[in-house]
Amino acid sequence: MRSSFTSESCKESQLNSLNPQSWLQVERGKLSKLSSQSSTSPTSSSPSIESFIKVPEPPVQPFFKPGDYVEVLAQIHEELESCSPQERSNLYLFQYQLFKGLGEAKLMRRSLRSAWLKGSTVHEKLVFGAWLKFERQGEELISDLLATCGKCAQESGPIDVSSDLDIDISSSSRETVSMMNGSHILRSVSFKIGDEKIVCDRQKIASLSAPFHAMLNGCFSESLCEHIDLSENNISPLGFRAISEFSITGSLNEESPNVLLEMLIFANKFCCERLKDACDRKLASLVSSRDDAVELMECALEENSPVLAASCLQVFLQDLPDCLNDDRVVEILSHANKQEKMIMVGPASFSLYCLLSEVAMNLDPLSDKTACFLDQLVKSAETNRQKLLAFHQLGCVRLLRKEYDEAEHLFEAALNAGHLYSVSGLARLGRIRGHRLWAFDKLSSVISSGTPLGWMYLERSLCCEGDKRWEDLEKATELDPTLTYPYMYRAAALMRRQNVQAALAEINRILGFKLALECLELQFCFYLALENYQAAICDVQAILTLSPDYRMFEGRVAASQLRTLVREHVENWTTADCWLQLYDRWSSVDDTGSLSVIYQMLESDAAKGVLYFRQSLLLLRLNCPEAAMRSLQLARQHASTEHERLVYEGWILYDTGHCNEGLQKAEESINIKKSFEAFFLKAYALADSSLDPSCSSTVISLLEEALKCPSDRLRKGQRSSSIKVYTVVTSLVVTDAPRYLRHMKLVRILGVEVSLTGRVELKVAPVALNNLGSVYVDCGKLDLAADCYINALKIRHTRAHQGLARVHFLRNEKTAAYEEMTKLIEKAQNNASAYEKRSEYCDRELTKADLEMVTQLDPLRVYPYRYRAAVLMDSHKEKEAIAELSRAIVFKADLHLLHLRAAFHEHTGDVLAALRDCRAALSVDPNHREMLELHNRVNSHEP
């Protein structure tokens, strides 16, 4: 979710005396005296460590979290193989909810898109199209860029409801042609509307509906009348003339909305279904604004006009989330009854309120509209799966709102429907009511009755104190190392005991592989307490890079405000200082530190385009794709030249999967001006898009051309893999001699020359050398590759050690390769990948040791689990091998882990388990060729 879902207990444990200004104005030394301050009264004027190093309990998340997600994914995949088209969208929606609980953003987006593509009704297309638009907020630029390349983006935007929504009116619109016998039936009839008389064809009017036929041709007195007064039926002369015309032509002329509304109401009153449908569709085509939609929706619901209602609904949904700040819209959507929901959204009511509930929870989970939408979700739920999700989500909101009785009822209903995670809500309620032992026993029963999961031990730890809590949190981390609360709790506890180094090491355990904002915030508090303001500002600037609007201390203080206060205690860096700091951090592979330096540099007059681009590269490496894309778009916005802007546009397209269009942008940039940046983008995109092995020579020539180009900006960075890297060279303008002399170190380590004007020009591009070396290796030109890596290392491009190690290995110099990677490990601050790579260059025991270190540093890296499992399988320890893979699968839905475990199950003859893993893996990647082959093979053996 975009906003934090604050826990109930979080609000119960408010921080004492929150006054950031006072923390930063205290005399030096006071904050470091932790033991004397720990007993300070909350009302004391000097802040205590307890007052801001406090870890709120994690919230009960409003997500679908089954006990065995692999089993559920497999079930969904199996059902998708055989279900009717009408069921597909709901299955993909549930798949989306499951991936959301796993935190898999890309898979969530793909499931939503599948739900939209497979929608069998206009209403489903309308809801899921709006949902995709909501998820793509901020990505409108991509469609615009694709248009400049002559390619239309596959849109999931508004649909033509008036044309596409099919309403069956055949049974009720059958023209009635029978007439009464006798010559007294008149051919025409005059209808009086006020003072005006409108002459109509009697039989044409009679054909509009059964009531009119009975009136004009049946046993009613009107059948014998030449003049009939319809003045009391709320229709104007203009409106009835249009009705008369429709009775003759079967189509509507251009009429005003007010006249169409009159006609719609009249048609509904007299059961003129064809006329009503025509008015319904005409009005639907005229809805163009929220005000129109609000005004017409009421009429649509009253008059049972589904086309108009759907059109109004689409206007609301296309305006999410802003339209939920309009009380009129919220009133319509949150108080619709069952019949009105059927008119408005047909059978897609559950999908609609899933969307509205999610948007409302993002805006404010405590609001009345959130509760109302979730209540509608519960009412719309029909299947067991829908019910357990709706009950749990509403239970979470009721818990936040302190509506404990309702929350308990909902959590119990969700648990009874099969949602095991809802027991966490019941346990929280038990503790709130003082039944801590009951909550502990409830969770212990869940743990002992099946496969224990990390969240179970985390929840039980909240019912304990002291060593027992610590023990449960250690177990939670063992089972699911991605849970942030255990690290934060342990780090804060160690800090309170004045074990500073252990506290910092503990919080860095998770920051080493998961850049969680709440963990950066806690580390910021640590440094604040220690008066290490330089480290504190590094953390807060990293936070602001990831989330510019982030608010700290339970949302009560803007991070930008805290940065302003802390900065008063930090020495200001010159531009040259910043470049030196950036280079040092980059060379030591300190990505978070690099982010902080760049944030500070963006406040200067330096060219911002290159800095935002550098920022995007770091964010990609830190697995923050949304923040990276935001930075890349800012780079484009601040580009100083057209050819530079085209390069950034190329990277935007490349990073969103449009490789050929990215290549086109690179060529456009080169046509304007040959530059390092453009050649490098072209080489990178070509290497990734071409399947022709001969393209390697082209890539080499492009990189060589890039190195020939002058450049006046420093862009050192690495793309999303450890081999593919990208840099752009920059310069410093030295404005005064003393500053220049102070920063000669920077000049030396960058490998630059200084012109007589004081302009610093780089002679080489270090990361480009590293990348060129990789291409030479792929082409078998090891000597040329080694030269590239050695030259890159001479200017402290640390990651070149990895490339040089590869060259040593390919030369059968395994010991040299191992030693080269050891140098990288010693220099790099973030070195999990270096340990993993070094494991390839040593014997089995050292390999196992390196891979164990990888798992400690970054448990999300899957290769170590696969390696250990393969070793166990080779040793005929099948159960242990499967258990090793399962250890990671439980918290990471990874295709390769599932694939290998499926193969192991097939090898042991467990066909059902193999089939389950195959189906779950195909839910992660439906088009994976090897997985499809294994699935087909295993499926043929199913009993």
Side-chain angles (χ1 to χ4, degrees), residues 156-174:
S156 55
I159 58 179
D160 186 354
V161 175
S162 62
S163 299
D164 295 346
L165 184 55
D166 185 26
I167 304 298
D168 183 12
I169 60 171
S170 58
S171 61
S172 56
S173 62
R174 207 176 285 122

Side-chain angles (χ1 to χ4, degrees), residues 84 153 168 208 271 353 378 397 441 451 477 512 520 597 643-644 647 691 717 846 857 881 920:
S84 67
D168 183 12
L208 289 176
C271 305
Y353 286 100
V378 169
V397 168
D441 291 341
T451 302
T477 298
L520 281 170
V597 176
H643 71 268
E644 182 184 354
V647 169
L691 299 177
L846 288 176
L857 295 173

Side-chain angles (χ1 to χ4, degrees), residues 611-624:
L611 293 174
Y612 278 120
F613 181 69
R614 166 69 173 140
Q615 189 180 78
S616 74
L617 298 173
L618 287 165
L619 289 166
L620 276 179
R621 192 159 65 227
L622 289 166
N623 195 28
C624 303

Side-chain angles (χ1 to χ4, degrees), residues 517-783:
L517 291 170
E518 63 270 25
C519 295
L520 281 170
E521 179 180 344
L522 183 61
Q523 185 171 256
F524 166 81
C525 291
F526 289 171
Y527 287 129
L528 201 61
L530 297 168
E531 290 191 316
N532 186 345
Y533 298 126
Q534 188 63 60
I537 202 167
C538 177
D539 283 337
V540 77
Q541 288 178 165
I543 288 171
L544 287 167
T545 300
L546 292 167
S547 180
D549 300 322
Y550 187 74
R551 299 186 66 83
M552 301 170 75
F553 302 107
E554 301 168 24
R556 286 175 288 155
V557 184
S560 56
Q561 179 188 354
L562 287 171
R563 176 184 179 271
T564 301
L565 298 175
V566 173
R567 192 169 182 185
E568 296 174 6
H569 298 257
V570 176
E571 180 183 356
N572 287 327
W573 288 342
T574 64
T575 300
D577 286 325
C578 287
W579 283 114
L580 180 60
Q581 291 290 335
L582 179 59
Y583 190 80
D584 282 344
R585 282 163 171 74
W586 174 77
S587 296
S588 62
V589 197
D590 177 8
D591 297 330
T592 307
S594 299
L595 280 182
S596 175
V597 176
I598 289 175
Y599 186 92
Q600 189 161 330
M601 294 172 75
L602 284 166
E603 293 188 333
S604 69
D605 293 331
K608 289 182 171 53
V610 60
L611 293 174
Y612 278 120
F613 181 69
R614 166 69 173 140
Q615 189 180 78
S616 74
L617 298 173
L618 287 165
L619 289 166
L620 276 179
R621 192 159 65 227
L622 289 166
N623 195 28
C624 303
E626 290 185 5
M629 181 54 64
R630 182 176 63 244
S631 295
L632 199 49
Q633 292 187 10
L634 286 168
R636 173 187 178 272
Q637 181 180 327
H638 290 88
S640 58
T641 64
E642 184 180 357
H643 71 268
E644 182 184 354
R645 175 181 58 79
L646 287 167
V647 169
Y648 298 147
E649 290 179 354
W651 283 117
I652 289 171
L653 291 166
Y654 177 88
D655 285 344
T656 52
H658 304 285
C659 190
N660 290 329
E661 289 71 30
L663 191 62
Q664 182 178 332
K665 290 290 182 180
E667 291 169 345
E668 289 178 22
S669 180
I670 291 170
N671 289 337
I672 295 172
K673 181 180 180 181
K674 292 182 178 180
S675 68
F676 177 92
E677 297 93 330
F679 277 119
F680 200 97
L681 169 60
K682 184 174 180 179
Y684 198 97
L686 183 63
D688 205 44
S689 62
S690 176
L691 299 177
D692 184 358
S694 64
C695 84
S696 295
S697 58
T698 306
V699 171
I700 289 173
S701 65
L702 287 169
L703 289 173
E704 289 172 342
E705 285 295 320
L707 289 170
K708 294 176 184 177
C709 293
S711 181
D712 60 356
R713 292 186 175 86
L714 177 62
R715 297 182 190 168
K716 297 191 180 79
Q718 187 174 18
R719 299 298 294 175
S720 55
S721 70
S722 61
I723 296 176
K724 293 183 177 179
V725 289
Y726 175 69
T727 190
V728 183
V729 187
T730 199
S731 69
L732 295 172
V733 178
V734 184
T735 56
D736 59 276
R739 183 178 299 172
Y740 162 67
L741 293 174
R742 282 167 47 207
H743 295 288
M744 280 304 295
K745 177 186 176 185
L746 178 62
V747 173
R748 288 196 300 274
I749 63 177
L750 289 177
V752 300
E753 294 178 344
V754 183
S755 68
L756 292 177
T757 62
R759 193 169 196 74
V760 183
E761 302 289 350
L762 266 80
K763 294 186 291 185
V764 291
V767 187
L769 285 170
N770 189 64
N771 194 275
L772 183 57
S774 297
V775 179
Y776 279 138
V777 168
D778 291 339
C779 296
K781 300 178 180 180
L782 299 184
D783 291 340

